[in-house]
């Protein structure tokens, strides 16, 4: 296979890179996310929002294959991924930045990046170019970094694998708002520059909506809102209703998205 | 000084083999989470293969094939060594691919049991194929007399240690500097991190298993000229090697290897010191040293072994509740009696031996199956009773007082064996009990100060003039003795079945499932563990007494640790979590009916039996966590379920409710009050000076974004985490109380991820919580079921319930203890909005019945409609407090939830 093919696929509009079809997620017999459908084109940023406990993390964990899906398929470039196989998903370009970051805390920053490089062309120096703050800390153990630096490292490590789809879970967890504001535009930049689809689960709703193309709101495991981010950003009352778990009034005010 | 040095250096050979085995233990554990008890078997494979190659023969350890293939000529050292290392390393790979990779989602305990299976298999193979005769080889390392600092030593020992150290340094360097080493370290840090980084942990583990095999082979080859090879030479060397690996925390190569060398040297020095100081025991010094080291490191540090953060299945299978005790007892007793009456000769011996080992198997059901503590010392405890009984009989204590007293002595020792388990849990308990068993065997059973060279004679039991001895003259085995053993087995089996249905049994299962949650239900975890060890040891002691009567003369061989591991493996294989499994363990165990059946029926040598059990154990682990009896239990379950079909329909019915907002009730006096409660983890302040009042008869909500400190605050209130500030319940300061004491002081609590016992009914799950009401009246079961609307599903196993009802069951468990305040952590977790409203209705009913509730939940709709008073937490501080309408209107709350828009607006506070 030549390199031209995926690039061509990327360029063709209406040819979604990332497709989730009827994904049902949960633990054992317990179902958490009832149904999740998504078609995303290269370079797009999708914000997945919703109150705590609505199933966002379960969803991303499932999409990445760390948790077997209860139903449905996840495909990249039209090819379905094997269910529940995180290693295969990562090698096919579906890379998760988990909410606990899952860094190799006893390894240095540089080693974390090298470990994830695989056979890809991206070098550690390129990663440091993108995240200059990390370059200064290259010999420091990942466990000794500040929260913001750890988050950068988690994203940088994911980018070493040249992902086609990047799933980022709760990037701002435990971070000061100033740091979050610094990190958020980086997400947009990654999508624009690498052409990766970015799926972003985020607590800071307004900040997420500023960088996203499209937003989906999950409440009790069901998608209750799905619309362009700019549109939703203006509908504060709808968002608040969703966050307060008031599904009825969301449904009343917002006819199902097309 | 010279003599000390001579002995210290002399110990280098043993030290080097411990070090090498510790090295392989660390390498395999780090990469695959397996404590490989079969490591010694790998070393033996390398050593034997090398020894035969040097004679010009290729060893084939598989039964049925020719034992060796003649290669025509003897191989040189390098040729033989290279081939042995490659073969052993490939065998390591096969072990990983065939056994441990399929078991990769099994918790470490299961993997360790599998490795015990492999150990038995290998040792069985060597015994069958090679016999017990020692095999020696030509010296490899130069044997010269050296003088080091005035001490005379032979150089081969020093060289051996140097070679192992060199290998370690080379390995450590390659883990440090190569890409493969980097990936190994990465995967060991976080398996999840490895997956999301495109690393394949399986491949990394496979290569590490090959490295382990190679290192083990080198150690085996180098020890071969120093010590003659026998099949079990390496088996129990695992214990000092484990001590060394523990010192390296199963992570670090060099500390583990240095510890291994040091243990060997100190053991040798102890031999010298014994000559100088009479008070040192004449036997068991080495083993006590190892035990001491393990205890110091594991118990004092009291940290779990490093885990690799992977989601795992529960460690043990279900422990199904016996439906009826009478019928199985009558049928089982009748079958046993028919067996005794009809069988004779070898068959009767096998039957009696089966009865006895069933009793010992049942002791494992108590300790491991019910209470979840992996004890590898049960047969040794049986031995304690056996030897103690010998002394008692010599002193004139008659039957049946002697065996009961002996079993009580075993129970006392059993408690001591179990003491470390109060501070540690999981795999380290297995390591500690194994080391204790080895130490007891060496210090007591082998000790000529306590036991004659010819062993301990045991006179047969007589009662009321009736001779119950196993042998009288040439009459052996006598049916009288068989009936005695059957009677003991029946009593023990009924007792263990009763235990399972008793409150104590439920408490043991609660401890097994989750110690924290058990304490949260008011169960005194420490006491339950101690009782489990005592009861288990008592039962094992009864078995040991019977075994001693049966053999009439006992030695350390009767109760060897190796045999003890076999008994553990057999019981696990038969089903360690149920009475039926415990009883079956005697039938399928070595020397039992199945073994003799296979032996006589199929004409296979009895030696093959350990091999078959090894294969059986590994297979069972992969397919049936409940053991051989698992499918039978499933079948019973299916029948039971068919009967419950109607109830089941009720159980899965969608629960829908609608929660009407109500005027908040003001409530009575303050029941629960916190002032300035703070929790710090290291430098992080998770809860920062919280003042909170909960009034009688109200529902108070505690909300806030992820990571706000809500659960931590609940943990502080219920005593699961250390905090500063005051927490008062009805004016009584709780600060100094342990969790289960707080529960008993009438503070009930549920957990976010409640562990229910899937195979137990709703009632049984709830009854576990009744322990909380000690000193107060518990609510009755009926009352609790009624309040929660669970009466119609009381007998349904919780596995059949919808998520909503499961949440109610965990609330019921806290409620039955009749708490003044009920703390609920995310009761609506995993519910959809309609179910959650239905739950709200139930909680409101509960409040109206007089129960005060403090709840955390993320379902804002539920909280805002249900609660009378709400506290909002963010970054560990209360940012808002008021009735729902106030909270709804509060802008700071909305911002806390939806996150900041821009930092500059945030800085205002």
């Amino acid at each position: 296979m030549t390199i031209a093919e995926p690039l061509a696929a990327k360029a063709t509009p209406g040819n979604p890179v990332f497709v989730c079809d009827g994904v049902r997620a949960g633990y054992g017999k317990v179902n958490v996310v009832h149904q999740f459908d998504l078609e995303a084109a290269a370079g797009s940023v999708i914000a997945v929002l919703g109150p705590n406990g609505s199933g966002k993390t379960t969803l991303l964990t499932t999409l990445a294959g760390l948790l077997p899906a209860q139903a449905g398929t996840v495909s990249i470039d039209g090819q379905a991924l094997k269910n529940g196989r995180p290693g295969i998903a990562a090698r096919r370009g579906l890379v998760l930045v988990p909410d606990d970051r899952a860094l190799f805390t006893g390894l240095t920053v540089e080693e974390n990046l090298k470990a994830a490089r695989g056979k890809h062309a991206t070098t550690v120096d390129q990663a440091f170019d993108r995240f200059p703050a990390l370059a200064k800390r290259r010999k420091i153990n990942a466990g000794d970094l500040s929260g913001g630096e750890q988050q950068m490292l988690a994203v940088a490590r994911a980018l070493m694998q040249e992902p086609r789809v990047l799933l980022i879970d709760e990037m701002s967890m435990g971070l000061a708002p100033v740091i979050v504001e610094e990190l958020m535009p980086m997400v947009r930049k990654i999508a624009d520059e690498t052409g990766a689809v970015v799926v972003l689960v985020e607590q800071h709703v307004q900040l997420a909506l500023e960088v996203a193309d499209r937003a989906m709101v999950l409440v009790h495991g069901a998608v209750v809102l799905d619309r362009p981010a700019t549109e939703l950003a203006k509908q504060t009352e709808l968002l608040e209703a969703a966050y307060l778990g008031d599904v009825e009034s969301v449904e009343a005010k917002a006819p199902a998205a097309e | 000084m010279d003599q000390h040095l001579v002995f210290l250096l002399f110990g280098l050979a043993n030290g080097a083999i411990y070090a090498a085995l510790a090295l392989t233990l660390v390498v395999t554990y780090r990469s695959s989470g397996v404590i490989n008890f079969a490591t010694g078997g790998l070393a033996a494979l390398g050593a034997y293969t090398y020894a035969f190659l040097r004679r010009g023969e290729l060893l084939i350890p598989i039964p049925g094939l020719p034992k060796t293939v003649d290669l025509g000529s003897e191989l040189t050292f390098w040729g033989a060594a290279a081939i042995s290392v490659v073969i052993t390393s490939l065998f390591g790979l096969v072990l990983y691919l065939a056994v441990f990779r399929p078991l990769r989602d099994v918790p470490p305990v299961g993997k360790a049991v599998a490795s015990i299976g492999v150990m038995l298999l290998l040792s069985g193979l060597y015994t069958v194929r090679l016999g017990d005769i020692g095999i020696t080889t030509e010296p490899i390392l130069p044997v010269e007399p050296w003088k080091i600092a005035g001490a005379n030593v032979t150089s081969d020992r020093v060289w051996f240690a140097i070679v192992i150290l060199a290998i370690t340094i080379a390995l450590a360097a390659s883990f440090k500097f190569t890409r493969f080493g980097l990936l190994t370290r990465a995967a060991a840090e976080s398996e999840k991190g490895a997956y999301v980084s495109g690393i394949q942990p399986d491949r990394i583990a496979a290569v590490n298993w090959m490295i382990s095999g190679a290192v083990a082979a080198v150690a085996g080859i180098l020890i071969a000229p120093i010590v003659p090879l026998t099949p079990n030479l390496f088996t129990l060397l695992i214990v000092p090697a484990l001590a060394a690996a523990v010192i390296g925390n199963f992570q670090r190569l060099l500390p583990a290897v240095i510890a291994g060398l040091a243990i060997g040297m100190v053991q040798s020095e102890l031999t010298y010191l014994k000559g100088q100081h009479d008070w040192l025991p004449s036997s068991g010094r080495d083993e006590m040293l190892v035990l001491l080291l393990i205890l110091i490191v594991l118990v004092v540090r009291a940290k779990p072994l490093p885990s690799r953060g992977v989601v795992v299945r529960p460690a043990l299978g279900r422990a199904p509740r016996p439906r009826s005790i009478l019928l199985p007892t009558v049928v089982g007793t009748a079958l046993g009696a028919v067996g005794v009456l009809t069988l004779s000769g070898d068959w009767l011996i096998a039957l009696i031996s089966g009865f006895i080992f069933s009793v010992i198997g049942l002791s494992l059901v108590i300790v491991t199956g019910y209470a979840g503590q992996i004890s590898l010392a049960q047969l040794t405890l049986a031995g304690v009773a056996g030897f103690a009984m010998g002394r008692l009989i010599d002193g004139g204590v008659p039957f049946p007082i002697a065996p009961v007293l002996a079993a009580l002595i075993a129970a006392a020792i059993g408690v001591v064996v179990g003491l470390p388990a109060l501070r540690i849990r999981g795999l380290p308990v297995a390591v500690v009990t194994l080391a204790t068993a080895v130490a007891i065997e060496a210090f007591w059973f082998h000790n000529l100060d306590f036991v004659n060279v010819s062993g301990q004679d045991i006179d047969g039991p007589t009662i009321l003039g009736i001779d119950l001895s196993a042998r009288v003259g040439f009459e052996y085995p006598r049916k009288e003795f068989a009936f005695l053993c059957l009677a003991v087995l029946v009593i023990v089996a009924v007792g263990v079945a009763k235990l399972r249905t008793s409150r104590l049994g439920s408490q043991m299962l609660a401890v097994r499932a989750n110690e924290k949650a058990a304490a949260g239900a008011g169960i005194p975890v420490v006491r339950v563990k101690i009782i489990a060890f005592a009861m288990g040891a008592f039962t094992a002691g009864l078995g040991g007494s019977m075994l001693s009567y049966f053999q009439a003369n006992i030695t350390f061989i009767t109760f060897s640790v190796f045999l003890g591991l076999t008994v553990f493996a057999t019981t696990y294989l038969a089903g360690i979590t149920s009475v039926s499994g415990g009883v079956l363990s005697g039938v399928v165990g070595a020397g039992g009916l199945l073994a003799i059946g296979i032996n006589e029926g199929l004409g296979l040598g009895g030696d093959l039996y350990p091999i078959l059990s090894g294969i059986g154990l590994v297979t069972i682990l992969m397919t049936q966590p409940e053991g051989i009896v698992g499918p039978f239990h499933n079948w019973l379950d299916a029948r039971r379920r068919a009967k419950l079909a109607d109830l089941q329909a009720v159980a899965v019915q969608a629960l829908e409710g609608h929660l009407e907002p109500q005027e908040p009730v003001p409530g009575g006096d303050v029941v629960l009050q916190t002032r300035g409660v703070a929790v710090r983890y290291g430098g992080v302040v998770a809860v920062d000076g919280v003042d909170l009042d909960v009034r009688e008869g109200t529902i108070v909500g505690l909300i806030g974004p992820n990571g706000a400190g809500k659960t931590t605050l609940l943990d502080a209130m219920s005593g699961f985490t250390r905090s500063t500030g005051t927490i008062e319940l009805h004016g009584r300061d709780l600060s100094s109380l342990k969790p289960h004491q707080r529960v008993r002081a009438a503070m009930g609590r549920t957990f976010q991820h409640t562990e229910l016992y899937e195979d137990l009914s709703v009632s049984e799950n709830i009854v576990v919580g009744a322990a909380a009401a000690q000193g107060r009246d518990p609510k009755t079961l009926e009352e609790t079921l009624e309040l929660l609307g669970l009466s119609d599903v009381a007998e349904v196993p919780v596995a059949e319930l919808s998520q909503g009802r499961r949440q109610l069951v965990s609330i019921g468990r806290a409620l039955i203890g009749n708490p003044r305040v009920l703390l609920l952590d995310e009761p609506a977790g995993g519910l959809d909005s309609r179910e959650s409203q239905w739950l709200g209705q139930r909680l409101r009913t509960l409040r109206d019945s007089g129960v005060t509730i403090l709840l955390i939940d993320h379902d804002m709709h539920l909280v805002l409609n249900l609660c009378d008073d709400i506290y909002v937490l963010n970054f560990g501080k209360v940012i808002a407090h008021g009735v729902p309408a106030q909270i709804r209107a509060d802008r700071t709350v909305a911002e806390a939830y939806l996150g900041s828009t821009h930092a500059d607006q945030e800085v205002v506070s």
Side-chain angles (χ1 to χ4, degrees):
Chain A
M1 202 214 258
T2 65
I3 287 176
E5 271 172 300
L7 282 177
K10 205 190 287 181
T12 318
N15 207 357
V17 172
F18 185 49
V19 177
C20 304
D21 185 12
V23 173
R24 204 177 142 79
Y27 301 86
K29 285 184 187 171
V30 180
N31 175 237
V32 178
V33 177
H34 314 314
Q35 179 166 351
F36 183 80
D37 300 290
L38 174 68
E39 288 193 1
S44 56
V45 177
I46 321 288
V48 176
L49 311 170
N52 286 339
S54 60
K56 302 179 303 264
T57 294
T58 309
L59 176 66
L60 288 206
T61 313
T62 305
L63 295 183
L66 284 163
L67 189 65
Q70 292 172 332
T73 51
V74 178
S75 344
I76 290 185
D77 294 328
Q79 274 188 299
L81 296 175
K82 269 193 184 170
N83 190 14
R85 298 295 298 274
I88 293 180
R91 285 192 296 285
R92 290 279 309 281
L94 176 64
V95 180
L96 171 71
V97 180
D99 59 348
D100 62 2
R101 296 164 192 152
L103 291 173
F104 308 124
T105 47
L107 272 53
T108 65
V109 168
E110 200 168 19
E111 286 177 327
N112 268 274
L113 297 174
K114 277 185 183 162
R117 190 182 168 196
K119 295 185 174 68
H120 298 289
T122 306
T123 63
V124 172
D125 286 332
Q126 283 171 319
F128 286 144
D129 288 344
R130 194 183 282 280
F131 301 97
L134 291 179
K136 286 175 259 167
R137 315 274 278 164
R138 62 197 302 160
K139 297 291 180 197
I140 306 284
N141 275 1
D144 297 333
L145 297 179
S146 73
E149 288 168 337
Q150 287 197 359
Q151 195 59 64
M152 275 185 211
L153 178 57
V155 176
R157 188 180 68 177
L159 290 179
M160 291 302 290
Q161 301 169 70
E162 301 173 3
R164 311 256 12 236
V165 180
L166 185 62
L167 311 173
I168 306 181
D169 194 1
E170 296 275 12
M171 189 162 70
S172 59
M173 176 103 81
L175 299 184
V178 194
I179 313 256
V180 181
E181 235 193 304
E182 220 172 277
L183 288 175
M184 209 54 80
M186 183 185 83
V187 172
R188 182 75 255 172
K189 215 169 144 204
I190 289 169
D192 292 344
E193 288 177 9
T194 69
V197 172
V198 179
V199 178
L200 182 68
V201 162
E202 186 48 62
Q203 277 194 36
H204 291 263
V205 174
Q206 291 300 341
L207 291 180
L209 289 175
E210 277 175 30
V211 299
D213 298 304
R214 178 174 166 194
M216 303 167 94
V217 178
L218 216 58
V219 176
H220 283 302
V223 177
V224 295
L225 290 170
D226 180 359
R227 56 197 55 202
T230 46
E231 199 176 300
L232 189 62
K234 291 173 205 143
Q235 297 164 315
T236 337
E237 77 292 349
L238 261 186
L239 264 175
E240 282 187 16
Y243 267 73
L244 297 180
D246 199 351
V247 181
E248 281 121 20
S249 69
V250 173
E251 280 164 356
K253 289 178 199 164
E258 69 286 2
Chain B
M1 187 58 221
D2 295 356
Q3 278 311 100
H4 290 293
L5 195 60
V6 168
F7 274 89
L8 283 171
L9 290 173
F10 187 81
L12 274 178
N14 274 342
I17 187 91
Y18 301 159
L21 294 183
L23 181 61
T24 67
L25 282 172
V26 173
V27 169
T28 39
Y29 183 82
R30 206 161 73 147
S31 63
S32 58
V34 180
I35 290 193
N36 186 14
F37 286 88
T39 292
L42 284 173
L45 179 66
Y48 276 122
T49 307
Y50 168 79
F52 278 90
L53 284 173
R54 291 287 275 164
R55 298 175 184 181
E57 292 170 289
L58 179 65
L59 174 69
I60 304 175
I62 304 158
L65 299 176
K67 183 173 138 187
T68 56
V69 176
D70 195 350
L71 299 177
S73 67
E74 293 175 8
L75 265 68
T76 61
F77 161 73
W78 287 110
I83 294 175
S84 318
V85 168
V86 169
I87 286 180
T88 315
S89 149
L90 287 177
F91 183 69
L93 177 66
V94 169
L95 269 189
Y96 176 69
L97 294 180
V99 179
F100 294 104
R101 187 170 175 276
L103 290 177
R104 66 184 181 278
D105 297 333
V106 168
V109 169
K111 290 177 189 165
V113 174
S115 80
I116 291 177
V118 174
M119 180 192 98
L120 297 175
L121 171 69
L122 289 178
S123 142
L125 280 179
Y126 302 144
T127 309
V128 171
R129 300 296 275 177
L130 304 162
D132 281 331
I133 301 149
I135 293 172
T136 47
T137 55
E138 299 283 308
I140 298 167
L141 300 164
V143 188
E144 294 153 10
W146 277 6
K147 219 168 172 64
I148 300 175
N152 293 310
V153 279
T154 40
S155 59
D156 56 344
R157 288 164 192 276
V158 182
W159 277 117
F160 188 12
I162 290 173
V163 170
I164 297 300
L165 261 180
I167 289 176
T168 311
I169 291 167
L171 263 183
S174 73
F175 279 123
K176 179 86 189 143
F177 298 115
T178 66
R179 172 153 185 85
F180 164 73
L182 174 66
L183 297 186
T184 299
R185 283 183 294 136
E189 290 269 347
S190 165
E191 194 159 55
K192 184 171 164 190
Y195 277 125
V196 300
S197 302
I199 301 169
Q200 292 162 285
D202 292 353
R203 282 195 194 174
I204 307 280
V207 178
N208 276 289
W209 272 83
M210 293 181 71
I211 293 175
S212 291
V215 173
V218 170
I221 293 167
L222 291 178
I223 198 83
I226 303 178
V227 187
L229 289 175
T230 52
N232 285 330
L233 171 65
F234 297 100
T235 310
L236 289 179
L237 292 185
I238 189 76
V239 180
L242 276 171
V246 158
I247 289 170
N249 200 22
F250 279 96
Q251 290 292 306
R252 301 172 57 199
L253 306 182
L254 208 53
V257 164
I258 290 171
L261 289 171
I263 292 171
M265 293 167 81
V266 175
Q267 283 182 342
S268 172
E269 168 74 4
L270 282 174
T271 310
Y272 171 66
L273 290 179
K274 172 60 189 163
Q276 312 288 307
H277 305 280
D278 275 345
W279 55 268
L280 281 167
S282 54
S283 169
R285 292 177 307 269
D286 296 356
E287 292 78 4
M288 303 266 247
L289 169 76
V290 168
L291 172 63
L292 200 67
L293 276 176
I294 290 180
L295 283 178
I296 289 173
V297 180
L298 276 185
V299 179
V300 174
R301 191 168 56 191
K303 273 198 217 149
L305 295 179
S307 74
R308 301 174 309 138
V310 283
V311 185
V312 289
R313 289 196 265 140
L316 295 158
R318 301 173 305 165
R321 181 188 170 90
R323 290 289 131 188
S324 127
I325 294 184
L326 187 66
L327 184 68
T329 307
V330 171
V331 172
T333 312
L335 273 176
V338 169
V340 173
L341 292 172
T342 54
L343 298 179
S344 63
D346 285 350
W347 288 89
L348 186 56
I349 292 175
L351 183 67
I352 297 173
S353 150
F355 288 158
I356 294 170
F357 278 98
S358 293
V359 172
I360 298 172
L362 283 166
S363 84
L364 276 164
V365 172
I366 300 173
V367 182
T368 307
Y370 291 173
Q373 311 299 311
I374 309 290
S375 169
L376 299 178
Q378 292 309 105
L379 187 67
T380 306
L381 290 167
V384 165
F387 284 102
M389 188 177 76
R391 286 299 182 92
L392 290 170
I393 294 174
D394 290 347
V397 181
F399 176 86
I401 298 170
V404 173
L405 214 53
L408 283 173
I409 292 171
I413 304 279
V415 169
V416 176
V417 172
L419 281 181
L422 302 183
R423 266 179 74 82
I424 54 179
R425 49 187 68 102
L427 215 38
V429 179
V431 173
V432 170
T433 52
L434 177 64
T436 315
V438 170
I440 293 177
E441 179 185 329
F443 174 71
W444 184 346
F445 305 169
H446 281 269
N447 198 332
L448 294 179
D449 296 347
F450 303 135
V451 183
N452 284 333
V453 186
S454 58
Q456 170 86 49
D457 288 327
I458 309 278
D459 294 336
T462 50
I463 189 167
L464 304 172
I466 306 166
D467 192 347
L468 298 174
S469 300
R471 178 194 295 275
V472 171
F474 289 106
E475 195 190 340
Y476 176 82
R478 294 175 68 233
K479 297 198 190 291
E480 287 86 343
F481 182 71
F483 278 116
L484 171 65
C485 292
L486 176 60
V488 172
L489 172 59
V490 170
I491 292 168
V492 167
V494 171
V496 176
K498 288 260 186 211
L499 173 65
R500 171 62 190 78
T501 55
S502 73
R503 179 182 286 185
L504 178 61
S506 312
Q507 294 184 346
M508 286 180 181
L509 285 174
V511 169
R512 181 188 111 172
N514 183 333
E515 288 184 20
K516 192 175 164 185
I523 294 168
V525 175
V526 165
R527 201 165 74 206
V528 169
K529 278 188 183 176
I530 289 183
I531 293 175
F533 271 101
M535 292 179 78
F538 181 81
T539 308
L542 287 180
S545 305
M546 292 302 122
L547 189 55
S548 307
Y549 280 133
F550 191 36
Q551 306 228 328
N553 172 279
I554 52 173
T555 65
F556 60 88
I557 297 167
T558 322
F559 301 104
S560 76
V561 170
F562 184 73
L563 187 59
L565 288 174
T566 317
V567 169
F568 182 85
T570 319
T571 313
Y572 205 102
L573 171 69
I576 203 163
T577 54
S578 61
V579 176
S580 47
V583 172
L584 188 66
S585 73
V587 179
V588 301
L593 280 180
L594 185 65
I596 197 160
I598 289 178
N599 195 1
E600 306 248 309
L602 303 176
L604 292 170
D607 287 344
L608 278 184
Y609 205 69
I611 302 172
L612 294 176
S613 340
I615 295 174
L617 183 63
V618 172
T619 319
I620 281 288
L621 267 168
M622 291 186 200
T623 55
Q624 285 291 335
E626 279 168 62
I628 295 176
V629 292
F632 175 66
H633 289 156
N634 292 342
W635 175 74
L636 279 183
D637 264 9
R639 277 179 42 129
R640 197 151 43 83
R641 256 176 226 163
K643 279 193 208 156
L644 289 172
D646 299 343
L647 286 180
Q648 208 183 326
V650 177
V652 296
Q653 244 171 36
L655 300 162
E656 293 198 6
H658 183 70
L659 190 68
E660 287 297 332
Q662 254 184 12
E663 266 308 293
V665 299
D669 296 340
V670 173
V671 210
L672 175 68
Q673 184 178 66
T674 72
R675 285 294 175 265
V677 168
V679 179
R680 287 179 191 82
Y681 296 124
V684 184
V685 184
V687 174
D688 193 2
V690 171
D691 298 347
L692 183 146
D693 291 314
V694 178
R695 290 184 178 278
E696 184 137 39
T698 60
I699 301 183
V700 177
L702 183 59
I703 61 174
N706 258 353
K710 305 181 296 289
T711 299
T712 311
L713 179 57
L714 227 56
D715 280 344
M717 290 184 183
S718 45
F720 285 101
T721 186
R722 290 161 63 101
S723 61
T724 53
T726 60
I727 297 157
E728 287 181 2
L729 187 67
H730 262 280
R732 179 182 175 199
D733 187 11
L734 300 180
S735 311
S736 59
L737 299 186
K738 293 197 181 315
H740 74 268
Q741 292 169 325
R742 296 191 195 200
V743 175
R744 289 176 172 184
M747 178 189 273
R749 146 138 212 213
T750 67
F751 290 86
Q752 211 167 329
H753 303 287
T754 311
E755 305 222 8
L756 298 175
Y757 313 122
E758 297 294 324
D759 48 326
L760 299 198
S761 70
V762 169
S763 310
E764 287 174 312
N765 267 283
I766 291 179
V767 166
V768 169
Q774 240 177 33
R776 293 172 295 113
D777 285 337
K779 281 190 190 301
T780 63
L781 178 62
E782 289 68 33
E783 200 183 341
T784 310
L785 290 168
E786 187 64 32
L787 266 173
L788 296 169
L790 288 170
S791 305
D792 46 352
V793 290
E795 294 313 313
V796 177
V798 294
E800 312 285 317
L801 296 186
S802 67
Q803 185 62 17
R805 286 190 200 264
R806 293 170 69 91
Q807 293 286 3
L808 283 186
V809 174
S810 61
I811 295 173
R813 197 189 277 173
L815 190 62
I816 196 171
N818 199 9
R820 282 179 176 282
V821 180
L822 197 51
L823 311 181
L824 305 178
D825 196 350
E826 287 199 38
L831 304 192
D832 69 24
S833 61
R834 283 172 188 82
E835 276 185 312
S836 132
Q837 294 200 38
W838 171 85
L839 179 83
Q841 289 176 325
R842 290 280 147 209
L843 293 178
R844 190 171 277 166
T845 318
L846 216 54
R847 178 199 69 186
D848 295 341
S849 78
V851 181
T852 307
I853 298 172
L854 174 65
L855 72 86
I856 295 179
D857 210 281
H858 289 311
D859 188 337
M860 290 289 280
H861 190 58
L862 173 72
V863 171
L864 289 171
N865 283 340
L866 175 67
C867 293
D868 302 303
D869 193 17
I870 297 174
Y871 287 85
V872 187
L873 227 55
N874 202 12
F875 295 112
K877 287 187 172 143
V878 175
I879 58 163
H881 170 219
V883 295
Q886 290 171 309
I887 299 299
R888 208 186 284 270
D890 196 324
R891 291 308 307 161
T892 49
V893 176
E895 266 167 33
Y897 267 87
L898 296 179
S900 60
T901 43
H902 281 280
D904 47 4
Q905 294 165 9
E906 191 74 6
V907 186
V908 186
S909 62

